[in-house]
Amino acid sequence: IELGHGVGPFYKTPDESKFLLWLRAFLLREDGRRLWLAQGAPRAWYAPGRVFGVREAATFFGPMSYRVCATEDTITVEIVAPQRRPPAEMLLHLRRPGGAPMRRVTVNSQPHDAFDAANEIVRLIQPMGEITVQAWY
């Protein structure tokens, strides 16, 4: 293996780098003034005991991090929102392996009604600082 050279018979460096671009888009994606989190994360990643996320990821809005932890009946997400140019909204995708719908959501321990259980999305308007989202199933 040599830097700049593909490891397969027909692979080129741009082909191999597409994997990283797609992985980033699954975990973190900008769309105008919106920031999508975990939009393409597979359901299996939300199984009880699983943890995933990103740390200090570069975005159009500034660096940001998030960590997703799942238990038997909850999913908890700890977010450090970007500060340089805060997004107008952040859309967080939370899905259970069995497809169970969200029953209730809190943001920083306060009830939060801006969630769509059918589409498995929690909407955060003008997110700032450290945010803890918890969804019950």
Side-chain angles (χ1 to χ4, degrees), residues 59-127:
T59 75
F60 170 79
F61 307 105
M64 67 92 50
S65 302
Y66 72 86
R67 183 174 184 263
V68 178
C69 301
T71 66
E72 289 295 327
D73 59 348
T74 64
I75 295 176
T76 303
V77 185
E78 297 167 347
I79 302 168
V80 179
Q83 300 299 310
R84 183 177 62 219
R85 205 178 302 142
E89 67 180 333
M90 198 179 290
L91 299 160
L92 173 62
H93 285 256
L94 300 177
R95 44 180 80 83
R96 297 299 281 187
M102 283 182 262
R103 291 183 294 122
R104 105 181 137 97
V105 174
T106 62
V107 173
N108 294 335
S109 300
Q110 299 299 314
H112 186 74
D113 293 330
F115 71 93
D116 180 347
N119 290 312
E120 304 172 312
I121 296 172
V122 176
R123 186 173 178 219
L124 303 169
I125 305 299
Q126 298 178 333

Side-chain angles (χ1 to χ4, degrees), residues 8 13 16 30 44 48 60 74 82 117 135:
T13 301
E16 292 178 346
E30 299 94 339
F60 170 79
T74 64

Side-chain angles (χ1 to χ4, degrees), residues 21-78:
L21 293 173
W22 280 109
L23 179 61
R24 183 190 187 279
F26 287 170
L27 297 175
L28 184 69
R29 185 175 69 86
E30 299 94 339
D31 177 21
R33 297 289 300 145
R34 292 182 183 155
L35 182 60
W36 296 80
L37 305 181
Q39 187 176 18
R43 287 186 186 279
W45 289 11
Y46 294 94
R50 300 292 302 261
V51 177
F52 74 92
V54 299
R55 194 172 13 181
E56 298 179 24
T59 75
F60 170 79
F61 307 105
M64 67 92 50
S65 302
Y66 72 86
R67 183 174 184 263
V68 178
C69 301
T71 66
E72 289 295 327
D73 59 348
T74 64
I75 295 176
T76 303
V77 185
E78 297 167 347

